[in-house]
């Protein structure tokens, strides 16, 4: 009997709370998927090998869901929420995974478990790659991906190649200073764009105003967290507090995007992440207007596209599938 | 008689006040040079063709100074103080050259006058290229050049290639926002790094403090301009006002460099320009210390070099010679 053709790849999105795996065919279609929590709720020893075991099972389940065998899988691409040596598959650290602060050899460990080649890259890099190949950034060789959620992450594709950086540390755009001496960032520094324009920062500012007695239509959950969907509802109800805080975040993100354009002059900026998905096109349009107003070179300004991401939660698994397909990340 | 070998190139640095031309051999040695004012003091019609004429004469004089004939010149590389379409030699605009606001076809016009191939690029791009090939950035494929003078300009070499940008507008780093809502920039926006850390901004802040009656050892020239050399002398005399203003500019430039590193993770940052040359290594060391303190990824931090430029006024002509030699700008 002829050996079955290994013409599928699997993309994995490893996050702090969940693991997603998707089987992808040669056309970029997802033909099977699986999902599980990154760690069981009562994990006694939540160390990296346990997570690797769970990723491997999630991959196998996705392959089974596609009614395929592992023999049909050419390679696996996996993301990690931190800097990754893409040549070796080593994850330097992952702030929101317990026990990963000293790094982990994720690529080789997954490959040992699954018996297929495994390539690993940073999750936001792969989200940007996914959008570039299958999403809102299709057709652009120069692309900045900006993902706004609890924090702000970014990926750069320049001249058709993901910019990983000399220490595999490129794309930490959330930690660029836009307002020196400004609000405190989660990293301990002040005035980073993440400290003003992320969903986390907006939520914190709203919470502070509410604590100070400002009236609002916002519903605040236990623990003080204000979700993206709640922010959208308050905007729909024309809540003045939410409008004011959001306006400042849109303006800051716009000025920040203009700075990136003044530096890199790309063809396209793709805005994705939880906040962007909740607030949709009106938010993207507002941010883009602020950005264009601050471009240094105004010539051909509208040729620089600022668009909403198109793939939602699938961006990273699809980007990971591109990496697995090519075993590198040129588009 | 055999045709003489065209094994020399000429690099030209076109600025708002002067034109420099240098004949460069295959080893990167300058073997002849010439210099003249960009415009004669009483130019009746200071339009682009007059400047092109003067560049052509300056090139011919440099070739004569090298005791060579134009037949020995393979190509000319020229810089322009503004965005340039490197494929065609078109200069979009040059803010400090009268009559260039609608652009000028500098490459073809020079080629017509000199009867050799001419390539043109932005002056700061070429300064960065010069430092990468012959100066402080030798051996680095990933390099950010930052030139601090009246303003702040920058060039990016990523993966061995100059980043020109989709609209030929990359590298406008002086106009990136580091202090939203901060001091007014020459461009009309607020909080750009140029509005805080350039020699022009330092000079303006010192002038404001002096006008407000603050005591100082600084000598202010007519017109209120405070030159880089004067700032150095006041520092040598431990002038408290100058120390305070300079400290803020060093801190801001350091934070800004850290932002660029968090984004691009390069191997090397080269600091050049008039202010850097006047203040020298103590200034570069101070800026670098502020930068390292704000790196997001601290791992292998010292592998990212932050160094003083090595070529002074020759950086741009030497970068232009590289462009002329290769007729492109890969290193």
């Amino acid at each position: 009997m002829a050996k079955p053709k290994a013409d599928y790849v699997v993309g994995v999105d490893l996050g702090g709370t969940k693991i997603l795996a998707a089987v992808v065919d040669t056309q970029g279609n997802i033909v099977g998927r699986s999902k599980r929590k990154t760690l069981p709720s009562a994990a006694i020893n939540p160390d990296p090998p346990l997570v690797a075991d769970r990723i491997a099972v999630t991959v196998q389940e996705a392959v089974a869901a596609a009614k395929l065998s592992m023999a049909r899988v050419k390679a696996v691409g996996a993301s990690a929420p931190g800097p990754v040596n893409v040549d070796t598959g080593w994850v330097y650290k992952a702030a929101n995974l317990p026990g990963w602060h000293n790094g982990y050899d994720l690529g080789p460990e997954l490959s040992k478990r699954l018996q297929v080649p495994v390539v690993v890259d940073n999750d936001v890099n792969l989200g940007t790659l996914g959008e570039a190949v299958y999403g809102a950034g299709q057709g652009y060789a120069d692309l900045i991906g900006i993902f706004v959620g609890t924090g702000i992450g970014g990926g750069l594709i320049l001249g058709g190649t993901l910019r990983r950086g000399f220490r595999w540390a490129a794309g930490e755009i959330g930690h660029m200073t836009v307002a020196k001496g400004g609000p405190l960032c989660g990293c301990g520094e002040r005035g980073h764009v993440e400290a003003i324009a992320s969903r986390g920062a907006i939520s914190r500012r709203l919470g502070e105003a509410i604590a100070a007695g400002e009236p609002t239509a916002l519903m605040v959950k236990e623990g003080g967290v204000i979700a993206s969907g709640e922010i959208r509802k308050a905007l729909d109800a024309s809540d003045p507090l939410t409008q004011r805080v959001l306006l400042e975040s849109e303006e800051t993100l716009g000025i920040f995007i203009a700075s990136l354009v003044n530096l890199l002059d790309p063809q396209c900026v793709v805005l994705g992440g939880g906040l962007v998905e909740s607030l949709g096109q009106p938010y993207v349009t507002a941010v883009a207007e602020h950005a264009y107003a601050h471009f240094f070179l105004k010539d051909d300004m509208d040729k620089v596209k600022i668009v909403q991401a198109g793939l939602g939660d699938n961006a990273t698994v699809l980007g990971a599938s591109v990496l697995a397909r090519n075993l590198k990340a040129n588009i």
Side-chain angles (χ1 to χ4, degrees), chain A:
Chain A
M1 206 173 79
K3 203 178 161 200
K5 202 175 168 199
D7 47 2
Y8 292 87
V9 292
V10 182
V12 173
D13 180 357
L14 167 63
T17 55
K18 61 181 190 294
I19 298 161
L20 295 175
V23 182
V24 181
D25 70 14
T26 52
Q27 305 303 307
N29 301 305
I30 294 178
V31 297
R33 59 169 76 238
S34 181
K35 179 174 167 175
R36 63 176 53 211
K37 284 187 186 165
T38 303
L39 289 168
S41 40
I44 291 165
N45 191 11
D47 61 355
L50 175 63
V51 175
D53 291 343
R54 294 174 69 82
I55 294 172
V57 171
T58 313
V59 168
Q60 287 157 343
E61 283 174 352
V63 172
K67 302 194 193 321
L68 297 167
S69 73
M70 280 301 290
R72 301 293 303 278
V73 175
K74 181 190 175 198
V76 170
S79 75
V84 178
N85 181 327
V86 180
D87 289 342
T88 66
W90 173 261
V91 179
Y92 286 90
K93 60 180 176 183
N96 52 3
L97 289 175
W100 289 58
H101 48 274
N102 289 323
Y104 184 57
D105 214 12
L106 183 61
E109 288 292 336
L110 282 180
S111 193
K112 204 162 69 185
R113 283 163 176 78
L114 291 164
Q115 295 296 309
V116 290
V118 176
V119 276
V120 187
D121 199 347
N122 171 267
D123 51 2
V124 194
N125 284 354
L126 293 180
T128 302
L129 184 62
E131 289 291 341
V133 175
Y134 296 120
Q138 282 179 70
Y140 300 112
D142 280 339
L143 179 87
I144 303 176
I146 300 179
F147 296 86
V148 187
T150 311
I152 294 184
L156 304 176
I157 292 172
L158 300 174
T161 305
L162 259 173
R163 170 79 196 167
R164 265 72 173 249
F166 169 55
R167 299 173 300 153
W168 307 99
E172 288 292 355
I173 66 166
H175 302 285
M176 294 179 74
T177 301
V178 67
K180 185 178 170 236
L184 199 62
C185 187
C187 73
E189 303 263 341
R190 288 195 171 277
H192 288 173
V193 65
E194 175 167 312
I196 301 171
S198 65
R199 201 263 306 144
I202 293 168
S203 171
R204 183 179 43 71
R205 292 185 157 218
L206 289 171
E208 285 164 5
I210 294 166
E214 207 165 327
T216 178
L218 272 171
M219 300 289 287
V220 183
K221 276 198 285 192
E222 219 174 318
V225 172
I226 300 169
S228 296
E230 193 50 47
I231 293 170
R232 184 184 49 68
K233 272 190 266 173
L235 286 176
D236 289 346
S238 301
D239 180 56
L241 170 62
T242 308
Q243 286 176 328
R244 196 188 71 227
V245 171
L246 196 75
L247 179 67
E248 199 204 339
S249 87
E250 288 167 347
E251 189 197 18
T252 301
L253 189 59
I255 286 175
F256 174 74
I257 290 171
S259 288
L260 294 183
V261 169
N262 295 343
L263 177 71
L264 295 170
D265 193 26
Q267 294 175 280
C268 183
V269 178
V270 174
L271 290 172
L275 185 75
V276 180
E277 277 175 49
S278 283
L279 304 182
Q281 193 56 50
Y283 171 83
V284 173
T285 301
V287 169
E289 278 172 11
H290 287 292
Y292 288 124
H294 294 273
F295 274 30
F296 182 69
L297 187 74
K298 306 285 187 191
D299 304 47
D300 290 331
M301 204 163 67
D302 55 346
K303 287 192 185 161
V304 180
K305 303 299 177 196
I306 301 176
V307 296
Q308 185 176 354
L311 301 176
D313 275 354
N314 288 333
T316 299
V317 288
L318 284 171
S321 82
V322 174
L323 195 69
R325 178 75 61 194
N326 301 327
L327 298 177
K328 60 183 183 178
N330 294 334
I331 59 173

